[in-house]
C-alpha cells in the first residue's frame, strides 16, 4: 500500500495541548504514515536571533549568557510539553533525557560560534535545523507513549540528499529516491524533521525559510506517496485572505500551477516551492484543517494536475507587501543588449533573487523581495553599466494578483479578465504603478501603491465574487 506523507507546520505546533490534536489526527488515518514536522511556532526566528546575537556579540559574556538563557527557555518549554502529553513518569523521564541530549548538542554549537566569533554557513544551517529536530523527537516520544508504533528518522539517516547549497538547498532526487524509499518503508509511523536535507558530504543544508513544506513534498516524491496531506488551521486555499475580505470562500480544487502562482503572489498557505517536486508526479496535495476534528480527513483543497476553468475564471485574488521595484533609467536601456545580463549576474552573485522584470525603452523595472532592495541598490550603484544614467527605487508598492486557469485564454473571455481586474481597481481609486498579464498562463498581476493594497484586493474580489 502506498503511504501518505502528512505535514504538520508551525501553526499546528503553538501550545503544549496542540500535540493532542496531532496525535488524534495520526490515529484517524489508521495506516502507516510518514509525518514531516516543522519547528514549534516562533522557534526558528528565535534561533536566528541567537545566531545573530552570537555573531554580533562574539566573545562577550552577555551574548553567551543570552544564548544560554535561550536554551534554558527551550528546555523549560519542552519539559512543559512532555508534562502535558506523557503521563507515565518513567516514559516521560526517558523522553526528557533524549530531548535534553539534543538540546546539549544545540548548546555546544551556540557556544562554539560564540568562541570562534563567526558563523560559518554550514554551522548556521545546523543550528537552525534544531527547531525541527526537537519537534520530531518530541512528537515521536508522545506517539510512542500513546501506544502508536512510531520512530524518528533524520534526513541524514534516510539519505535525503541535497545539492549542497546552504540556506536554500534543493533536493537531489537521483541521489535520494533509492535510500529514502527504502528507509521509509515498513509499517508504523515515521517522523521526519522538515526544513533540511544533507549534502553529498553529509552537511545539513536548509531548504530555505518555510522549507518544511518542500521537505514534505520531496519525501512524497521519493516514496511515490499516495498524497501529501498538509494540515493547516484554516479551510484550505481561499478566494482571498480572510483578514482582508469579509467572507472569502474555500477553493475545492486547484491545478499545481495555480497553487504555485497563488503561493508566489502571497497566499501564505503553502510554500511556493512545494509544487516543484510533485507537479509531474501525479501526487495530489490535500489541505486539511486541524481545527475541524469533526470533519475527519476531509480535504478543503485538493491540488493536482487536473485543469479546470471556472465560470468566472478567477479562483483567487492574492497580494503581498514583500515586493519592491528597482528601476534602471536611461534613454536607450530597452534597446541596448547586455544590461540585463549584467544586472542579473551582479544580483545573483550576491544571492539576490529577481521576482520579475518589465522593460520599456527608457526604463528596466526589476521586482525584488523588499528585504533585498537596499543591498541591490548598493550593488548596482557600485557597478557601472553603460547606458544606465540613474538607478531609482520604490518600496512603497504591493503586488496584487488574480489567479485562475484561463486568465489569458480569450475563448473564455479570458483576455478581459486582466482588464476587468485592473478596471475595478482603477475605478475604485487604487493607484496602480504597473500591470502585467501573460507572465504565466494562470496569473495576471499589478503593482499598486502600498497603502492601497487592501482596497485593491477588496475591489477585485468583489468584481469576481460579488459582495460577500
Ligand atoms: N521552521 C522553518 C521556518 O520557520 C521551516 C518551516 O517552518 O517550514 O522557516
Ligand atoms: Mg510553514
Amino acid at each position: 500500500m502506498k503511504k501518505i506523507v502528512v505535514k504538520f507546520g508551525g501553526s499546528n505546533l503553538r501550545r503544549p495541548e496542540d500535540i493532542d490534536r496531532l496525535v488524534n489526527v495520526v490515529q484517524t488515518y489508521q495506516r502507516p504514515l510518514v509525518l514531516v514536522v516543522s519547528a514549534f511556532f516562533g522557534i526558528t526566528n528565535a534561533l536566528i536571533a541567537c545566531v545573530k546575537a552570537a555573531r554580533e556579540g562574539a566573545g562577550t559574556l552577555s551574548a553567551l549568557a543570552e544564548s544560554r538563557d535561550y536554551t534554558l527557555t527551550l528546555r523549560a518549554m519542552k519539559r512543559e510539553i512532555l508534562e502535558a502529553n506523557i503521563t507515565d513518569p518513567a516514559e516521560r523521564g526517558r523522553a526528557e533525557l533524549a530531548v535534553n541530549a539534543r538540546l546539549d548538542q544545540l548548546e555546544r554549537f551556540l557556544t562554539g560560534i560564540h568562541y570562534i566569533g563567526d558563523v560559518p554557513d554550514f554551522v548556521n544551517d545546523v543550528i537552525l535545523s534544531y527547531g525541527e529536530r526537537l519537534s520530531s523527537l518530541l512528537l515521536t516520544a508522545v506517539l510512542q507513549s500513546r501506544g502508536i508504533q512510531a520512530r524518528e528518522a533524520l534526513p541524514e539517516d534516510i539519505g535525503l540528499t541535497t545539492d549542497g547549497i546552504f540556506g536554500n538547498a534543493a533536493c537531489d532526487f537521483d541521489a535520494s529516491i533509492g535510500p529514502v524509499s527504502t528507509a521509509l518503508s515498513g509499517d508504523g509511523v515515521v517522523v521526519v524533521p522538515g526544513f533540511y536535507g544533507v549534502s553529498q558530504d553529509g552537511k545539513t543544508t536548509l531548504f530555505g525559510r518555510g522549507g518544511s513544506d518542500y521537505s514534505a513534498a520531496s519525501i512524497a516524491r521519493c516514496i511515490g506517496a499516495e498524497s501529501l496531506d498538509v494540515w493547516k488551521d484554516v479551510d484550505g486555499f481561499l478566494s482571498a485572505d480572510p483578514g482582508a475580505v469579509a467572507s472569502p470562500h474555500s477553493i475545492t480544487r486547484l491545478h499545481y500551477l495555480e497553487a504555485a502562482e497563488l503561493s508566489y503572489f502571497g497566499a501564505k498557505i503553502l510554500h511556493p516551492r512545494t509544487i516543484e517536486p510533485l507537479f509531474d508526479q501525479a501526487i495530489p496535495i490535500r489541505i486539511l484543517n486541524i481545527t475541524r476534528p469533526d470533519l475527519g480527513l476531509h480535504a478543503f483543497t485538493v491540488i493536482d494536475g487536473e485543469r479546470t476553468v471556472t465560470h468566472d475564471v478567477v479562483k483567487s485574488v492574492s497580494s503581498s507587501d514583500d515586493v519592491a521595484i528597482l528601476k534602471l533609467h536611461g534613454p536607450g536601456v530597452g534597446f541596448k543588449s547586455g544590461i540585463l545580463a549584467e544586472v542579473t549576474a551582479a544580483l545573483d552573485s550576491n544571492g539576490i533573487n529577481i521576482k520579475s522584470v518589465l522593460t520599456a525603452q527608457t526604463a528596466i523595472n526589476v521586482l525584488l523581495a523588499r528585504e533585498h532592495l537596499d543591498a541591490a541598490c548598493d550593488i548596482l550603484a557600485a557597478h557601472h553599466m553603460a547606458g544606465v544614467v540613474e538607478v531609482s527605487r520604490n518600496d512603497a508598492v504591493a503586488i496584487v494578483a488574480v489567479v485562475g486557469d484561463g486568465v489569458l485564454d480569450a475563448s473564455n473571455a479570458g483576455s478581459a479578465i486582466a482588464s476587468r481586474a485592473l478596471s475595478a481597481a482603477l475605478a475604485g481609486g487604487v493607484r496602480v504603478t504597473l500591470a502585467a498579464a501573460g507572465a504565466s498562463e494562470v496569473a495576471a498581476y499589478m503593482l499598486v501603491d502600498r497603502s492601497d493594497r487592501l482596497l485593491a484586493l477588496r475591489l477585485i474580489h468583489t468584481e469576481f465574487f460579488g459582495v460577500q
Side-chain angles (χ1 to χ4, degrees):
M1 189 206 280
K2 283 186 178 181
K3 284 199 171 146
I4 295 178
V5 174
V6 177
K7 154 83 196 323
F8 294 118
S11 66
N12 309 135
L13 292 160
R14 286 175 197 256
R15 300 152 308 156
E17 54 273 31
D18 289 348
I19 298 267
D20 239 359
R21 293 206 291 210
L22 263 60
V23 175
N24 288 339
V25 166
V26 171
Q27 275 162 338
T28 311
Y29 276 98
Q30 297 221 331
R31 58 184 280 173
L33 298 174
V34 177
L35 305 187
V36 178
V37 287
S38 295
F40 266 70
F41 191 76
I43 297 291
T44 309
N45 285 345
L47 289 170
I48 290 173
C50 269
V51 171
K52 187 163 174 272
R55 183 185 276 132
E56 285 167 3
T60 62
L61 283 175
S62 65
L64 187 58
E66 207 175 303
S67 65
R68 291 258 155 87
D69 278 355
Y70 186 61
T71 45
L72 276 178
T73 312
L74 273 179
R75 275 180 216 275
M77 181 182 155
K78 300 299 165 192
R79 195 175 324 114
E80 199 192 327
I81 296 169
L82 291 173
E83 268 163 21
N85 288 286
I86 304 183
T87 38
D88 180 72
E91 263 178 303
R92 191 166 67 232
R94 276 197 299 278
E96 210 172 311
L97 274 179
V99 167
N100 279 334
R102 201 158 283 184
L103 275 159
D104 291 344
Q105 296 166 356
L106 168 64
E107 203 167 291
R108 280 199 287 277
F109 281 111
L110 288 170
T111 310
I113 58 172
H114 169 79
Y115 283 119
I116 62 171
D118 188 18
V119 191
D121 286 343
F122 77 93
V123 178
N124 182 65
D125 282 22
V126 176
I127 292 176
L128 301 195
S129 71
Y130 268 84
E132 274 64 17
R133 290 174 196 261
L134 288 164
S135 291
S136 56
L137 187 60
L138 255 166
L139 189 59
T140 309
V142 174
L143 289 170
Q144 287 169 347
S145 77
R146 306 283 173 93
I148 296 169
Q149 186 200 334
R151 66 185 166 95
E152 188 195 32
L154 300 177
E156 52 269 52
D157 299 333
I158 61 174
L160 184 66
T161 310
T162 70
D163 58 5
I165 310 278
F166 294 111
N168 195 24
C171 184
D172 176 345
F173 289 103
D174 290 340
S176 302
I177 287 176
V180 172
S181 55
T182 309
L184 297 183
S185 62
D187 282 346
V189 175
V190 190
V191 189
V192 185
F195 197 25
Y196 77 96
V198 286
S199 61
Q200 292 281 2
D201 57 353
K203 295 223 165 44
T204 295
T205 42
L206 299 178
F207 291 128
R209 288 310 306 271
S212 298
D213 285 349
Y214 178 81
S215 301
S218 298
I219 290 170
R221 172 166 171 170
C222 286
I223 67 168
E226 182 177 307
S227 68
L228 165 59
D229 287 9
V230 180
W231 286 82
K232 307 294 295 186
D233 53 6
V234 291
D235 292 348
F237 272 88
L238 301 175
S239 60
D241 176 356
V245 167
S247 25
H249 65 84
S250 298
I251 309 169
T252 50
R253 291 200 80 91
L254 282 174
H255 184 267
Y256 291 124
L257 295 180
E258 294 173 314
E261 293 293 359
L262 277 173
S263 307
Y264 184 69
F265 286 115
K268 302 248 163 33
I269 196 149
L270 269 190
H271 189 282
R273 288 182 65 197
T274 317
I275 308 298
E276 233 175 271
L278 299 180
F279 83 98
D280 57 352
Q281 300 296 308
I283 298 174
I285 303 171
R286 299 159 18 99
I287 315 278
L288 304 94
N289 186 349
I290 203 153
T291 68
R292 306 282 292 268
D294 49 312
L295 296 179
L297 300 178
H298 168 73
F300 282 86
T301 305
V302 177
I303 303 158
D304 60 17
E306 206 176 301
R307 305 185 77 140
T308 47
V309 178
T310 49
H311 175 67
D312 258 326
V313 179
V314 173
K315 296 197 176 76
S316 182
V317 189
S318 69
S319 75
S320 168
D321 272 342
D322 185 21
V323 65
I325 308 175
L326 185 74
K327 216 171 189 141
L328 310 176
H329 305 261
V333 289
F335 208 68
K336 189 171 180 325
S337 62
I339 296 184
L340 257 183
E342 278 188 61
V343 173
T344 51
L347 296 182
D348 180 48
S349 61
N350 287 277
I352 295 179
N353 178 41
I354 294 177
K355 284 179 180 268
S356 184
V357 178
L358 287 106
T359 303
Q361 169 66 355
T362 62
I364 297 175
N365 297 270
V366 182
L367 305 193
L368 306 165
R370 179 179 300 274
E371 54 162 348
H372 290 148
L373 185 63
D374 287 341
C377 281
D378 292 346
I379 292 159
L380 295 188
H383 190 97
H384 173 75
M385 282 170 289
V388 176
V389 295
E390 191 198 339
V391 178
S392 69
R393 49 181 286 157
N394 183 359
D395 59 0
V397 286
I399 200 159
V400 181
V402 287
V403 174
D405 207 344
V407 155
L408 280 187
D409 185 349
S411 59
N412 301 312
S415 59
I417 297 296
S419 72
R420 253 177 84 189
L422 189 59
S423 309
L426 288 169
V430 171
R431 286 156 293 179
V432 178
T433 309
L434 200 152
S440 138
E441 291 170 65
V442 301
Y445 67 87
M446 63 189 86
L447 280 132
V448 303
D449 207 274
R450 198 171 180 210
S451 51
D452 291 345
R453 180 176 70 89
L454 287 182
L455 175 65
L457 197 68
R458 286 179 191 137
L459 289 163
I460 297 170
H461 192 265
T462 305
E463 170 69 24
F464 291 99
F465 300 97
V467 184
Q468 306 288 309

